[in-house]
Amino acid sequence: MTYDETVERFCRAVNDRLARGPQEQGAEIAGVVRAEVAQHAGEPALLDRLEEAARQAIQPRAFYDVRAMRPDLIFEQCDTLLRENFEPDVLDPKERMVLMLERLADPTHTFPIVLMGRFWRASGPQEYDAAGHLTRFGFDPLAVTESIAASISAHYMSLQPVGRPGEAIGAIGNIVTRARFRGGQGHGTALTEAFERETVRIAQERGETVRLYILESEEDSQGFWHKRGYRWPLGTRYAQPPLEFDPQTGERLYDEVPETLMVKMAGQPDAIEVDAELLTAAVRIMYLDWCLAETKTYPLAARKRAEEYVLGKVLGEFRASLPPDGQPVPLVKPPLLQ
């Protein structure tokens, strides 16, 4: 059997099995196919290469984390994975994401986006479905397929605008892992850790210090975040403010939504409390950067109306839930885990 005939037979046999569905996609497919093809081929070295390429394509083993810095293919994969898994109302429009990336060129910008993906590479022109299962195997040592396993959208936020120069936080917006790579494989953890390291790197460049990481946790993700060292500030009543306002009047287009706030002290994974003033500053800067950034282009009266609602009513209710007299806020398991 010629080189081309061996490759064709091997690829066809792998794809026949892939066509049966994801349940057939164990890495042992490669060994089974190799044994079948070996009966007709006499090139052990080629079969070794084919088997290894199929194993890597079916079950990737080496992953790496990359930050999107411009509207390129890395950005497209990160953005697409997020949009395939979240409703549009919890994501920034794509054009705004592109604008955020363009703002990375400005070293004075106080809340640069940190959009990152966890990727793998496979030799050959491979095709995967939305969940991340291999759907068609191809062999070509001169081709490489790069695909994404997980994506995180977050921001580095300087606290200078809220009166705490030299300090910053890392604020996580959304994180998702493709279905094929879920179930305790560690990709969400690895990407979260990559984001935390990136915020520290940004802080060093800016002469600032990351004080804490913060996020709004969905009920089904509280366990994940708790294992990553994130805790609930005990007794806090936190709400996500409206993200859209009437640009002429500043009137909110919908009400705030109660959420569970979770934080992790940077460099202090076992911290049992957080300073109330630091926590308030972190929530205030999230509201300014995530909810009120676009209102800067509104007429003055409209901008003030939006700010009064978010920084007056919503932030005021959060502050009222904190301990009195500036006492520290205990950090505990989120409500659903207690």
Side-chain angles (χ1 to χ4, degrees):
M1 198 185 310
T2 67
Y3 176 100
D4 290 342
E5 289 172 339
T6 299
V7 170
E8 181 182 359
R9 182 185 288 266
F10 188 94
C11 291
R12 184 170 62 250
V14 170
N15 289 323
D16 286 345
R17 285 165 174 76
L18 295 179
R20 300 172 187 172
Q23 70 276 6
E24 298 290 332
Q25 290 205 20
E28 66 275 7
I29 286 179
V32 172
V33 171
R34 182 222 169 94
E36 292 178 356
V37 176
Q39 300 176 20
H40 308 281
E43 297 186 53
L46 174 57
L47 290 174
D48 287 344
R49 294 169 65 193
L50 287 164
E51 180 181 2
E52 181 59 22
R55 288 184 183 278
Q56 291 186 11
I58 294 169
Q59 191 169 330
R61 298 190 295 270
F63 297 83
Y64 55 97
D65 307 305
V66 182
R67 181 182 176 192
M69 300 297 291
R70 59 190 61 83
D72 55 11
L73 292 178
I74 292 174
F75 163 72
E76 287 293 343
Q77 291 204 52
C78 291
D79 183 72
T80 298
L81 183 56
L82 289 167
R83 296 189 190 282
E84 288 180 345
N85 288 271
F86 291 100
E87 296 298 324
D89 60 345
V90 301
L91 297 172
D92 286 302
K94 187 170 183 177
E95 56 270 21
R96 185 160 186 248
M97 297 281 279
V98 171
L99 179 60
M100 290 178 185
L101 291 175
E102 292 173 349
R103 288 173 176 167
L104 293 178
D106 178 5
T108 66
H109 185 49
T110 57
F111 58 104
I113 188 172
V114 183
L115 179 64
M116 303 186 72
R118 185 163 176 80
F119 294 83
W120 81 89
R121 289 194 184 100
S123 174
Q126 314 306 341
E127 297 178 16
Y128 296 88
D129 63 15
H133 295 106
L134 182 67
T135 58
R136 186 164 186 79
F137 172 73
F139 181 75
D140 181 354
L142 297 179
V144 174
T145 299
E146 181 178 62
S147 197
I148 189 167
S151 179
I152 185 171
S153 176
H155 281 79
Y156 174 96
M157 295 180 176
S158 172
L159 294 182
Q160 182 172 353
V162 292
R164 297 179 72 100
E167 297 180 311
I169 66 169
I172 297 175
N174 298 289
I175 183 171
V176 64
T177 299
R178 286 169 88 170
R180 163 70 175 77
F181 300 100
R182 296 173 190 166
Q185 298 184 51
H187 298 294
T189 296
L191 196 52
T192 299
E193 292 173 349
F195 158 72
E196 292 173 357
R197 291 193 299 270
E198 182 66 7
T199 59
V200 171
R201 186 195 66 77
I202 296 170
Q204 291 173 342
E205 284 187 348
R206 293 168 173 252
E208 296 179 327
T209 300
V210 178
R211 295 296 309 280
L212 59 80
Y213 305 102
I214 191 167
L215 58 91
E216 300 164 347
S217 176
E218 299 291 336
E219 290 186 356
D220 60 358
S221 66
Q222 289 181 12
F224 170 83
W225 291 116
H226 183 259
K227 290 179 181 179
R228 310 285 85 73
Y230 288 76
R231 300 291 182 265
W232 177 51
L234 181 64
T236 51
R237 296 189 300 275
Y238 173 87
Q240 182 191 84
L243 301 177
E244 297 180 17
F245 302 85
D246 185 297
Q248 298 304 315
T249 67
E251 183 65 33
R252 68 186 186 279
L253 299 186
Y254 55 85
D255 293 334
E256 66 274 18
V257 179
E259 299 275 6
T260 299
L261 192 72
M262 297 185 72
V263 303
K264 176 180 179 180
M265 300 301 297
Q268 304 175 59
D270 299 320
I272 60 173
E273 61 185 26
V274 58
D275 178 74
E277 291 187 2
L278 172 61
L279 183 59
T280 300
V283 172
R284 184 182 182 89
I285 199 64
M286 281 205 308
Y287 286 177
L288 284 169
D289 291 348
W290 276 350
C291 306
L292 294 171
E294 297 304 305
T295 65
K296 293 178 180 179
T297 62
Y298 292 3
L300 180 59
R303 183 170 74 247
K304 287 188 173 296
R305 184 176 181 83
E307 290 177 353
E308 287 171 358
Y309 186 82
V310 173
L311 302 180
K313 179 184 184 298
V314 185
L315 181 60
E317 292 176 352
F318 173 77
R319 295 180 65 177
S321 71
L322 301 180
D325 305 321
Q327 298 176 32
V329 187
L331 295 175
V332 301
K333 291 182 179 179
L336 291 180
L337 301 184
Q338 294 183 12

